[in-house]
Amino acid sequence: MVGSSHEAMHRIFQKDPALLTRALQQVLGVPFPEPYDFAGMNVDLTEIEPVERRVDTLLRAETDEGAYLLVVESQGKPDERKRGSWPYYLSYLYEKYRCEPVLIVVTQNSATARWAAEPIHLGVRGCPSLTVRPFVLGPDNVPVIADEREAERDVPLAVLSAMTHGRGREAPAILESLAAALRTIDRDSAAVFVQFVDSCLADSRARQMWRDMMTTIQYFWRHPLAEEVRGQGREEGRVEKGVEMTLNILEWRGVPVSDAIRHRVETCTDEDLLKLWARRAMDVSRAEDLFDADGS
C-alpha cells in the first residue's frame, strides 16, 4: 500500500512508464523519441564509498534513437542538497551505462516547481563547466482533466492530474471524472491508481470525497485501502455512513439538496437502499433523481 504522496508521485511512472514520455512530449513539449520498450532499473547509485545515493524511480527507455535513462525525482519542497546530487546522478548514470540520462522532477507545489526548474550551474560564474536543466511536472503545466471523456482517453494522465491538482478548487470535478474513467480499465490497475490518488490528497475533505466515491463503486474492494475504509464504516455504523456518503457526494458535486430530501435520506434505515442512493448520487443532476418513481 502506498503510504505517502512522495512515493505515489514517482511510482505512478513505474506503473505506466509510457505516461512519462507522454508527459515529456505533450505537457513539456520535449521532442522525446517514442520508446518501444521500457525496463525498470536499480535505483541505488551508491559507489564503494559509504555514501548512500538513491533516485526515486529509474527507467530505461529503448527508442530508435538509442536508449535513454529516465530519472524521476518526487520533490515536496525545495532542498538545496539536490543542487549537488542531481548533477551527480546524471553524471554517474552516463558513466556507468553510457546512455543519455534525463532528469524529471514531479511536484504538487508551484513554488517547488519553480525552484526545481532553475538551471544548476557548476563552475566559473557565467561560464559553467556543467549545467543541468531539470524537466519539471507540476501544478502549472500538468493539465486539469475535469471532463469524463478526456479522462477516459488517457486514464494514467487523469490520475496524474488528480494527484497534482487534488487540493484545489477543481478537485471535485477532477475526482468525479477520474472515478468514471476508472470503470474503463481493469480492476487491478484501477486499484493501484486509487491508492496513488488517495496518498496525494492532502486536503482531508477531498480525500474523504474520494474514499466515499471509491467505496460506493467498489473498484478496490479487495485492496488494503478498502479494508481501512470498511473499518471506518464498521466503527461509524453502516447506516450512518450510507447517509453521510450520499449527502456528501451530492454536496461535493454541487447538486442542491432540499430540506425535504435531506430529511428523507437522514431518516432512512435501509442499508441496501442507502447504497443504491449513494451510487446514484455519482450521476444525478437533480437530488430528486435519487429516488425511483415508486419511492425507492
Side-chain angles (χ1 to χ4, degrees):
M1 180 174 176
V2 180
S4 70
S5 60
H6 175 92
E7 288 296 304
M9 289 298 290
H10 70 88
R11 282 179 56 183
I12 185 175
F13 299 112
Q14 297 176 16
K15 170 63 179 172
D16 188 344
L19 171 63
L20 190 55
T21 54
R22 291 200 301 277
L24 286 171
Q25 296 164 348
Q26 300 170 22
V27 178
L28 299 178
V30 177
F32 193 86
E34 195 66 38
Y36 56 81
D37 190 29
F38 288 97
M41 300 183 68
N42 189 343
V43 299
D44 191 346
L45 308 186
T46 306
E47 296 186 273
I48 296 176
E49 297 295 325
V51 177
E52 183 175 313
R53 298 180 185 271
R54 294 176 184 271
V55 297
D56 288 331
T57 286
L58 179 60
L59 300 168
R60 182 184 177 108
E62 300 289 347
T63 79
D64 290 336
E65 298 179 8
Y68 287 84
L69 300 179
L70 304 178
V71 184
V72 184
E73 285 280 278
S74 175
Q75 199 68 28
K77 60 183 180 181
D79 181 355
E80 288 304 315
R81 293 175 300 178
K82 297 294 185 178
R83 298 293 178 186
S85 59
W86 285 344
Y88 168 84
Y89 294 165
L90 301 183
S91 300
Y92 174 88
L93 289 169
Y94 181 78
E95 175 64 21
K96 182 174 182 178
Y97 296 105
R98 291 295 166 176
C99 296
E100 298 294 341
V102 181
L103 174 63
I104 304 101
V105 180
V106 290
T107 181
Q108 296 175 287
N109 184 276
S110 293
T112 302
R114 290 191 294 271
W115 167 83
E118 296 175 0
I120 301 170
H121 301 295
L122 301 179
V124 178
R125 181 172 300 180
C127 189
S129 298
L130 175 64
T131 297
V132 174
R133 301 180 185 275
F135 295 123
V136 181
L137 295 170
D140 297 330
N141 55 18
V142 171
V144 174
I145 299 180
D147 177 78
E148 181 179 331
R149 291 184 179 178
E150 186 179 358
E152 290 177 357
R153 283 196 293 270
D154 193 336
V155 176
L157 185 59
V159 174
L160 183 62
S161 176
M163 293 163 61
T164 306
H165 301 284
R167 67 179 66 188
R169 293 179 302 173
E170 304 93 345
I174 294 172
L175 297 178
E176 183 181 345
S177 299
L178 177 59
L182 287 175
R183 299 173 183 173
T184 65
I185 64 175
D186 66 276
R187 292 174 63 92
D188 289 340
S189 293
V192 174
F193 289 146
V194 165
Q195 273 197 94
F196 289 157
V197 175
D198 186 84
S199 297
C200 289
L201 294 176
D203 183 274
S204 58
R205 185 179 175 86
R207 174 179 281 193
Q208 190 58 54
M209 172 189 177
W210 180 244
R211 290 188 167 198
D212 285 348
M213 294 167 71
M214 293 300 98
T215 302
T216 300
I217 329 175
Q218 298 184 9
Y219 284 132
F220 62 121
W221 200 241
R222 296 182 179 178
H223 200 277
L225 181 58
E227 290 295 335
E228 181 180 341
V229 174
R230 285 202 294 273
Q232 294 174 355
R234 285 192 292 269
E235 293 173 5
E236 299 171 8
R238 291 187 178 88
V239 170
E240 290 83 355
K241 186 65 176 178
V243 169
E244 179 185 1
M245 188 182 304
T246 301
L247 295 176
N248 281 347
I249 291 174
L250 290 173
E251 179 184 352
W252 287 320
R253 294 187 62 234
V255 178
V257 179
S258 66
D259 290 341
I261 290 178
R262 182 178 297 276
H263 176 74
R264 182 171 177 180
V265 174
E266 289 177 341
T267 56
C268 179
T269 58
D270 186 327
E271 182 183 346
D272 291 334
L273 190 55
L274 286 167
K275 288 181 180 178
L276 174 63
W277 290 349
R279 286 195 294 271
R280 289 176 178 171
M282 295 282 296
D283 302 311
V284 298
S285 56
R286 301 184 313 132
E288 292 80 0
D289 294 336
L290 287 178
F291 318 115
D292 288 335
D294 61 3
S296 62

